[in-house]
Amino acid sequence: MSPTFFAEAKEIYLQAQEDLKRGASLSKINSQITESNSLLNKAFKTAEIGEVTFKDVFRARKDALKVSADQNVPELWMKAAERLRKAAEELEDGDINDAKEEAKEAENLFRKAELESIKKSYLVETRKKIEQAQDKDVDDYAPKTFALAKQLVFDTEKALNENRYDMDLPRSLAKQAQYQINHAFYLDKAINEFDDKDMTLEDLFLSHEHELEKIAAALEIDHK
């Protein structure tokens, strides 16, 4: 919230440490420490104002980080970060209105980064798996789960497009879509193995009962 004041204070402080090692006069060191403290006080005062002025943009930044926007869409992330820095510099200069305008631009960019990151980290991978599932005819053995995964992808895109500023729902839908397509692959594999081994429904039920018995034994309960 106060990048310039803080950076200058740190630089002067580090220089004072170096000068002390080299045997500089104590009056010079004291002067540097005083200047560093003065800049830090300015930084703290600026930060106090920034906590209110930048509340929304920091929330947007935090949400973008939750979906790794800094890694998934680094160029967009850097644009947002640069806007935020400009806003902070305006705040340091005492230009509250300009700081608010820059902060709003930064907030929009962070939200956009969050949106693109969700699409990249969740939907792109899920779409690829859906295409792979189609190529392997997974929908032949797990049609309901496969259809659910496709529907969840559609619902995610719809939620993203209808409300860019509420990411909780699309984030949840995207994770469900990712889970269901993996679930479809699992079911396809399990059912194919079931067919290959010429198992009957009785074998399947007995197998499940055996697993339940092991769980019940571990929990020391009667599952019947």
Side-chain angles (χ1 to χ4, degrees):
M1 288 182 285
S2 185
T4 306
F5 290 151
F6 181 80
E8 289 179 357
K10 184 178 179 180
E11 183 180 355
I12 292 170
Y13 172 74
L14 292 175
Q15 185 60 55
Q17 285 186 319
E18 288 297 318
D19 289 346
L20 184 63
K21 290 177 183 177
R22 292 171 183 170
S25 66
L26 289 180
S27 61
K28 180 181 180 180
I29 303 301
N30 285 332
S31 176
Q32 289 171 317
I33 295 300
T34 299
E35 186 178 0
S36 179
N37 281 332
S38 176
L39 287 165
L40 282 175
N41 286 333
K42 289 181 180 180
F44 276 116
K45 289 178 181 178
T46 303
E48 286 177 1
I49 301 171
E51 286 182 356
V52 177
T53 308
F54 298 150
K55 181 178 64 175
D56 292 337
V57 66
F58 276 125
R59 186 183 295 116
R61 183 180 184 275
K62 183 179 180 180
D63 290 341
L65 278 173
K66 286 180 181 177
V67 293
S68 303
D70 55 326
Q71 299 175 30
N72 292 328
V73 284
E75 291 184 6
L76 190 53
W77 174 268
M78 288 303 296
K79 287 181 180 179
E82 182 58 31
R83 278 286 189 174
L84 179 55
R85 182 180 180 83
K86 287 181 179 179
E89 289 171 350
E90 294 288 357
L91 194 64
E92 287 177 325
D93 291 337
D95 297 327
I96 303 294
N97 290 332
D98 288 344
K100 287 181 178 179
E101 289 181 9
E102 291 289 349
K104 187 61 180 177
E105 290 294 330
E107 180 187 352
N108 292 337
L109 286 169
F110 279 126
R111 289 300 179 192
K112 185 176 180 181
E114 181 187 15
L115 173 65
E116 294 303 320
S117 184
I118 287 176
K119 288 181 177 179
K120 186 171 183 178
S121 61
Y122 294 129
L123 292 185
V124 170
E125 180 183 350
T126 303
R127 283 199 193 95
K128 286 181 180 178
K129 287 190 174 181
I130 287 175
E131 290 178 3
Q132 293 172 1
Q134 287 176 323
D135 292 339
K136 295 181 179 181
D137 297 324
V138 168
D139 55 326
D140 287 349
Y141 284 112
K144 292 181 179 179
T145 308
F146 178 76
L148 178 57
K150 290 178 68 176
Q151 182 61 46
L152 284 167
V153 168
F154 175 81
D155 291 343
T156 302
E157 290 179 325
K158 184 179 179 183
L160 287 169
N161 293 327
E162 288 182 350
N163 190 351
R164 288 180 53 192
Y165 300 101
D166 181 9
M167 293 293 110
D168 290 340
L169 177 59
R171 190 186 296 116
S172 175
L173 291 171
K175 287 182 178 180
Q176 290 179 54
Q178 201 171 49
Y179 169 80
Q180 290 300 342
I181 192 61
N182 289 330
H183 190 196
F185 272 105
Y186 167 78
L187 290 173
D188 177 69
K189 180 181 178 182
I191 295 170
N192 270 296
E193 289 178 353
F194 178 83
D195 285 347
D196 292 341
K197 293 178 181 178
D198 294 325
M199 295 175 67
T200 65
L201 285 176
E202 182 184 17
D203 294 324
L204 181 62
F205 278 104
L206 288 173
S207 175
H208 285 174
E209 286 181 358
H210 179 63
E211 294 302 319
L212 286 174
E213 287 172 358
K214 290 195 294 184
I215 295 172
L219 296 174
E220 297 182 350
I221 60 175
D222 186 0
H223 77 288
K224 295 180 181 178

